[in-house]
Amino acid sequence: MTAMTSRERILRMFQHKEADRIPIVDKPWGQDTLDRWVADGMPAGADYQDYFGLDKMIRFDIDNSPRFEERVLEETEEYQVYTTCWGETRKSWRHMTSTPQSIDHIVKTPDDWRLAKAGMTPDRDRIQWGHLRANWSGWRNEGAFIMPSVMFGFDITHSMMMSLDDVLIALVEDPEWCGDMFTHQLDVTLALLEMVWAEGYTFDALRWPDDMGFKGKQFFSLQTYRDLLKPLHRRVIAWAHGKGIPAYLHSCGNIAPFIPELVELGLDGLNPIEVKAGMEPLAIKREFGDRLTLHGGMSALLWNDPDEMEAVVREQVPILKERGGFIFGTDHSIPTNVSAQDLKRILDVVRAVGRYE
């Protein structure tokens, strides 16, 4: 079969059709991983996707935040304390990639939310028009798969605007407040995406992150999902389908009870299928593989053992790739303990067993 572009290859997976091979889409955990690969021989400044022959999946940002003031509060050789446009105070290591420590938030009450909501308006200057003009034709010419980064729902609220404890309590005690936050975030997002689309910057899928689970469990009940998030997921999926593009959810953790609900809504793709949280990619493929494209499902805990990782790839990829509907990747991102040489070895095996005849 003739070699395809990343865009052609990934679209075939969403159509549940075979391609020349399965797409390979992944990213490093952070700068530490990139530094490791440079030490292993990757040229400094190289695009890791080009260096390792990964498929190009390009994301561009839109800003639906409250636009709170961003400033640095404290800085040392080791860390930085700063505020974000979502009203969170964070502490991050300066020379090591990690999840930032959340220190404080502006939004703690419904009154605080009303202040934030007033700052969340769908203005044209929230879109990086210059970035799109400068890069769009290049992305299209190289056959990249293009998606906006869309922010709304439970995950963005608890990870960027409020504390997790406050959001979980509000889900039970004041679900109307949560519903208003989630809905307004989506209202602004879709208004901005309409502007982008109207200017001719059409994209290939609509992807949004909404981490609804952790290890072995979900953050909330199935009924809470049905009451507060499912209507919004229905709406965003319908918006994407109205543009003729797939809808694609990133949700970390174990969200197994939610999958039938998502498939019922017409969700096209799910990532990252977190094995280390209890997700079972082969079981999901068996039950939903004709309707749902899976991206990920390769446990990040195995990647520093190339022999074990190769065995998993040879066992599972031939099943996962059946009738299309599979994009290879880790169940989160490539850890820092994976050398460039071991990654190349694993990817060579993926390309070999992931080909369609």
Side-chain angles (χ1 to χ4, degrees):
M1 187 179 293
T2 305
M4 295 180 172
T5 65
S6 295
R7 181 172 185 263
E8 292 168 337
R9 194 173 287 131
I10 295 169
L11 284 174
R12 295 281 288 187
M13 294 299 105
F14 280 113
Q15 295 162 358
H16 297 274
K17 297 179 180 178
E18 295 184 355
D20 54 344
R21 62 164 173 80
I22 58 172
I24 305 171
V25 178
D26 220 326
K27 64 179 181 179
W29 162 240
Q31 188 60 46
D32 293 354
T33 311
L34 292 172
D35 292 343
R36 163 73 186 267
W37 292 342
V38 169
D40 290 339
M42 183 176 79
D47 184 327
Y48 71 89
Q49 296 176 102
D50 291 331
Y51 183 72
F52 291 107
L54 303 179
D55 284 281
K56 287 285 184 75
M57 188 177 273
I58 303 293
R59 300 177 198 160
F60 64 92
D61 294 326
I62 58 171
D63 174 20
N64 66 335
S65 76
R67 287 184 162 177
F68 287 120
E69 182 183 7
E70 298 176 271
R71 56 196 177 101
V72 175
L73 303 179
E74 182 183 357
E75 192 165 19
T76 72
E77 282 298 313
E78 295 183 345
Y79 64 83
Q80 185 182 72
V81 179
Y82 55 96
T83 63
T84 74
C85 59
W86 286 89
E88 182 180 26
T89 301
R90 290 180 166 183
K91 179 179 180 179
S92 294
W93 297 113
R94 295 189 62 192
H95 307 295
M96 179 173 64
T97 304
S98 67
T99 302
Q101 178 187 357
S102 182
I103 297 174
D104 199 6
H105 301 81
I106 291 175
V107 178
K108 299 175 182 177
T109 69
D111 286 341
D112 299 333
W113 159 243
R114 282 186 277 275
L115 171 67
K117 184 178 181 179
M120 297 169 69
T121 52
D123 306 313
R124 286 184 62 85
D125 66 353
R126 290 177 175 272
I127 299 166
Q128 298 178 335
W129 297 111
H131 179 66
L132 294 178
R133 284 192 294 270
N135 293 285
W136 200 266
S137 60
W139 294 338
R140 280 294 181 226
N141 289 338
E142 69 177 340
F145 189 86
I146 305 172
M147 301 184 298
S149 292
V150 174
M151 300 292 188
F152 76 94
F154 170 78
D155 184 20
I156 190 67
T157 303
H158 87 74
S159 66
M160 299 185 72
M161 195 170 68
M162 294 176 62
S163 76
L164 176 58
D165 288 352
D166 284 347
V167 175
L168 290 176
I169 292 170
L171 285 174
V172 176
E173 296 186 349
D174 198 344
E176 184 176 348
W177 171 27
C178 291
D180 188 49
M181 289 190 288
F182 303 163
T183 299
H184 187 70
Q185 292 161 5
L186 182 57
D187 288 345
V188 175
T189 293
L190 293 184
L192 294 171
L193 291 180
E194 287 285 2
M195 295 177 196
V196 173
W197 196 273
E199 291 291 331
Y201 298 110
T202 57
F203 35 91
D204 301 312
L206 194 155
R207 175 190 183 275
W208 77 99
D210 204 351
D211 292 352
M212 297 182 290
F214 54 102
K215 187 173 183 179
K217 297 290 183 179
Q218 302 76 52
F219 281 108
F220 40 80
S221 70
L222 182 57
Q223 190 59 52
T224 295
Y225 172 75
R226 289 171 174 164
D227 291 343
L228 292 177
L229 285 164
K230 189 173 182 178
L232 301 181
H233 290 171
R234 176 182 287 109
R235 183 176 162 202
V236 76
I237 291 168
W239 188 93
H241 290 175
K243 302 298 184 187
I245 59 175
Y248 174 35
L249 170 66
H250 168 96
S251 192
C252 287
N254 189 326
I255 62 162
F258 301 154
I259 293 178
E261 309 282 320
L262 292 162
V263 171
E264 174 196 322
L265 295 176
L267 184 73
D268 300 286
L270 183 63
N271 165 263
I273 324 295
E274 195 172 357
V275 176
K276 58 187 180 294
M279 295 285 274
E280 300 179 12
L282 293 180
I284 298 170
K285 178 71 176 184
R286 283 193 298 270
E287 187 168 0
F288 302 108
D290 59 335
R291 290 165 285 172
L292 190 63
T293 292
L294 307 185
H295 175 195
M298 298 290 117
S299 176
L301 299 179
L302 304 180
W303 280 69
N304 66 331
D305 186 334
D307 291 335
E308 187 172 3
M309 192 66 227
E310 179 175 340
V312 170
V313 168
R314 292 189 181 279
E315 174 192 0
Q316 295 191 10
V317 168
I319 300 170
L320 292 168
K321 75 173 187 178
E322 290 176 359
R323 303 177 304 283
F326 179 61
I327 302 169
F328 183 89
T330 62
D331 62 350
H332 190 274
S333 54
I334 304 170
T336 303
N337 59 5
V338 180
S339 70
Q341 291 75 23
D342 286 346
L343 179 57
K344 284 183 175 181
R345 170 187 164 181
I346 292 167
L347 294 179
D348 284 345
V349 176
V350 174
R351 293 186 188 95
V353 301
R355 296 198 64 81
Y356 293 98
E357 302 299 333

